[in-house]
Amino acid sequence: MDMDSIIEALGGAAQVQTLLGVGPSAVSNYRARGQFPEYARIRIWQALKARGITVDPETLSVEPSGQPKPIASNHGNVSPVVNPAVTAIPEPPRILLIISGGIAAYKSLELIRRIKDKGWHIRCLMTASAEQFITPLSVSALSGETTYTELFSLTDEAEMGHIRLAREADAIVIAPATANIMAKMAYGFADDLASTVLLATDAPILIAPAMNPFMWAHPATQANQRQLKIRGISFVGPDSGDMACGEDGAGRLAETPQIINAISHILPGSGRLNGKTALVTSGPTHEPIDRVRYIANRSSGKQGHAIAAALARQGAKVTLISGPVNMPPPPGVHVVAVETAQDMLTASLAAMPADIAVCAAAVGDFAIANSGANSGANNGANSGSGAGKIKKSDTGDAPQLILQQNPDILATIADHKMRPKLVIGFAAETDDVVNYAIAKRLRKKADWILANDVGQDDQPVFGSDFNMVHLVTENGVEPWPEMSKHDLADQLVSRIVKEISA
Ligand code: C5P
């Protein structure tokens, strides 16, 4: 079958994205290459099979008859395929549970039982230190599957190569997760089976940490957690309370029902914003003065990127329009890289219609009208950013830059005939933050404004991993406590879910 027929048979590109847990750009790349990546073929084969279409799992070509094969009915007779939607049998999600070493490892046995109660398929993998607490035998007895433990085990590799183990999972759960496995993930180590699988997977990952409160609170563990969240990895817990080590504080493994609930939220297709589209602007803009210089705002893109990632985790189809940043593209998000405010506006309008718009970019208010002006050798006013570097003059006269106002992207989107249902902006102010934000919400016709104070020397926002905002809506002003930009993104997206589904 050719690519287009496969995508059509599976219900369209959006369904294929959900099935493979990838973003729209990945599917476009597969189309351009004319083939799916190797790991995806097994999922596509299974999904087609569930729709009564039998193809060769290696090549995805239709089996010899050239026709989709009919499905055997319960009575062993053969019934023709009439409506693929009716015949489709959903496969249970496949969970790979990684158990790392820690006294809480025994709680993973209960988790396995509850995962099975949900009707999900489970396979387990244990680290060497987890084997000090519970045995692979008890894990296998409960999961009903082989438990994998070693990277260089001939038996394990022959039965299930580590790459297949990584790829044949719809979600990977690490419970309990030690400080060690989090550190290995943050730095990309691959020195045992668990860390290798975690590096080789593209499935969503949920981490349920459990460790001594001091280990959890240590700046190294906290930095690793933030790093992992940047990559779109979800966390559940840890809870606070009495610890097995006799200390008290945050570090207890989350309760089993909490973990089950968190797993159900990371499974592909489970998001509460499924079928919704979002556009997010992030980062600064660069307004060229000449070919080498520009005016920019202080913005790392951390907050906007975290919001895009959080929307995508909830199943929204996200276009992230980003100015120049040093941030990895969030998983499952279509990124459009731009430089100037004008480009950002053009890309934002191209991403409409959308259900949700979040304008988190620090857009330059002014562009240089005469970029390249007075540029010495090529002294040409209005010669554009294509003009060479402006030269210093021997007389000491500085060139005159003429500023022109940039379009306001947030206000344009909010006043557009295709206005998204929910339009959200930010207001970074140095004084009278809330009052300016209230006025800005009305002036720009935004639904919500997140106001943050960027004027505090002791609590910088730009480039920091933390943020503290007031949410300004038509109903009033809500102060939110200081939290990481990722937690803020999750909290904002929970509010968006409520608003959009109201
Ligand atoms: O007017 P001010 O820059 O303070 O407004 C901040 C909000 O407006 C942010 O949400 C920002 O992304 C958005 N904005 C915009 N286009 C501009 C200026 C700001 O979208 N040209």
Side-chain angles (χ1 to χ4, degrees):
M1 267 175 112
D2 65 28
M3 287 290 280
D4 290 336
S5 314
I6 291 173
I7 292 172
E8 195 183 327
L10 292 174
Q15 294 294 329
V16 175
Q17 282 166 38
T18 308
L19 176 72
L20 303 180
V22 297
S25 56
V27 175
S28 311
N29 289 342
Y30 305 157
R31 271 195 214 266
R33 284 205 301 267
Q35 63 173 24
F36 289 103
E38 197 189 346
Y39 85 89
R41 285 185 212 141
I42 190 89
R43 289 192 197 175
I44 291 168
W45 169 72
Q46 281 178 328
L48 288 171
K49 199 167 141 213
R51 287 166 168 75
I53 304 169
T54 309
V55 292
D56 175 51
E58 289 299 322
T59 60
L60 298 182
S61 56
V62 178
E63 298 238 297
S65 71
Q67 291 297 319
K69 279 195 182 160
I71 294 177
S73 74
N74 289 343
H75 310 290
N77 298 325
V78 170
S79 58
V81 177
V82 181
N83 179 352
V86 175
T87 55
I89 307 154
E91 299 277 340
R94 297 159 305 172
I95 314 294
L96 177 65
L97 175 64
I98 295 180
I99 306 168
S100 64
I103 186 66
Y106 76 93
K107 294 186 183 171
S108 63
L109 299 175
E110 171 70 6
L111 180 61
I112 294 169
R113 297 182 60 191
R114 298 289 84 88
I115 287 176
K116 291 201 74 164
D117 288 350
K118 294 287 285 183
W120 297 336
H121 174 265
I122 177 159
R123 221 175 238 156
C124 299
L125 185 168
M126 295 171 69
T127 64
S129 42
E131 285 186 71
Q132 303 294 320
F133 294 93
I134 53 171
T135 66
L137 193 61
S138 37
V139 171
S140 289
L142 290 172
S143 70
E145 293 273 335
T146 306
T147 299
Y148 299 90
T149 54
E150 287 183 49
L151 183 56
F152 299 113
S153 146
L154 266 182
T155 333
D156 285 2
E157 275 296 306
E159 190 182 317
M160 168 72 65
H162 61 271
I163 298 295
R164 250 181 77 203
L165 200 51
R167 299 288 166 76
E168 289 185 10
D170 295 310
I172 297 187
V173 181
I174 315 171
T178 56
N180 183 50
I181 201 162
M182 284 174 55
K184 283 198 203 180
M185 288 173 78
Y187 289 92
F189 277 67
D191 61 352
D192 64 0
L193 183 58
S195 52
T196 305
V197 162
L198 286 162
L199 210 53
T201 190
D202 63 352
I205 299 173
L206 174 70
I207 295 182
M211 65 195 74
N212 167 279
F214 276 87
M215 292 175 79
W216 174 250
H218 194 283
T221 308
Q222 290 300 304
N224 291 336
Q225 184 205 24
R226 285 196 294 277
Q227 183 58 42
L228 294 169
K229 282 185 170 179
I230 286 174
R231 295 194 204 133
I233 291 174
S234 304
F235 279 76
V236 54
D239 289 348
S240 293
D242 286 346
M243 304 287 296
C245 59
E247 291 181 10
D248 194 32
R252 276 168 66 96
L253 184 69
E255 296 299 329
T256 303
Q258 244 183 300
I259 300 177
I260 294 284
N261 185 40
I263 299 173
S264 64
H265 284 133
I266 64 158
L267 287 174
S270 62
R272 288 171 292 169
L273 291 175
N274 274 342
K276 301 291 180 201
T277 49
L279 83 87
V280 179
T281 68
S282 181
T285 61
H286 284 184
E287 308 298 336
I289 295 173
D290 58 24
R291 214 183 280 173
V292 292
R293 303 182 179 95
Y294 55 82
I295 307 185
N297 278 329
R298 287 180 203 279
S299 168
S300 61
K302 284 182 180 173
Q303 187 63 79
H305 278 53
I307 292 169
L311 286 164
R313 278 199 296 279
Q314 285 301 336
K317 191 176 159 200
V318 183
T319 303
L320 172 63
I321 299 138
S322 173
V325 290
N326 278 322
M327 298 280 298
V333 166
H334 174 56
V335 181
V336 181
V338 295
E339 288 220 354
T340 64
Q342 188 57 56
D343 293 345
M344 189 173 270
L345 174 67
T346 307
S348 300
L349 295 180
M352 287 171 60
D355 299 295
I356 304 147
V358 183
C359 293
V363 185
D365 284 334
F366 305 105
I368 314 293
N370 60 336
S371 50
N374 312 318
S375 59
N378 48 6
N379 185 16
N382 299 319
S383 49
S385 58
K389 184 181 169 192
I390 300 173
K391 301 282 187 295
K392 277 191 279 187
S393 87
D394 295 339
T395 60
D397 290 339
Q400 302 295 310
L401 297 180
I402 301 170
L403 301 181
Q404 68 185 11
Q405 196 150 321
N406 269 330
D408 192 303
I409 300 164
L410 173 62
T412 309
I413 291 173
D415 205 26
H416 200 276
K417 59 180 184 301
M418 285 192 285
R419 184 190 199 278
K421 182 169 176 206
L422 193 55
V423 177
I424 304 167
F426 275 76
E429 299 289 353
T430 50
D431 53 282
D432 207 4
V433 177
V434 170
N435 282 332
Y436 275 119
I438 292 170
K440 196 168 292 183
R441 191 187 83 81
L442 296 173
R443 192 174 70 249
K444 299 200 182 199
K445 299 187 182 159
D447 297 301
W448 300 348
I449 290 279
L450 291 147
N452 51 359
D453 188 345
V454 293
Q456 315 230 351
D457 288 345
D458 54 335
Q459 280 179 323
V461 173
F462 297 120
S464 154
D465 288 329
F466 293 90
N467 206 349
M468 191 162 76
V469 300
H470 287 79
L471 174 68
V472 180
T473 71
E474 65 174 342
N475 300 322
V477 180
E478 243 177 69
W480 285 9
E482 187 181 16
M483 60 184 102
S484 77
K485 288 182 175 171
H486 288 278
D487 290 344
L488 195 149
D490 281 337
Q491 186 161 327
L492 176 65
V493 171
S494 301
R495 290 294 287 262
I496 292 174
V497 167
K498 268 193 213 149
E499 185 71 19
I500 286 284
S501 43

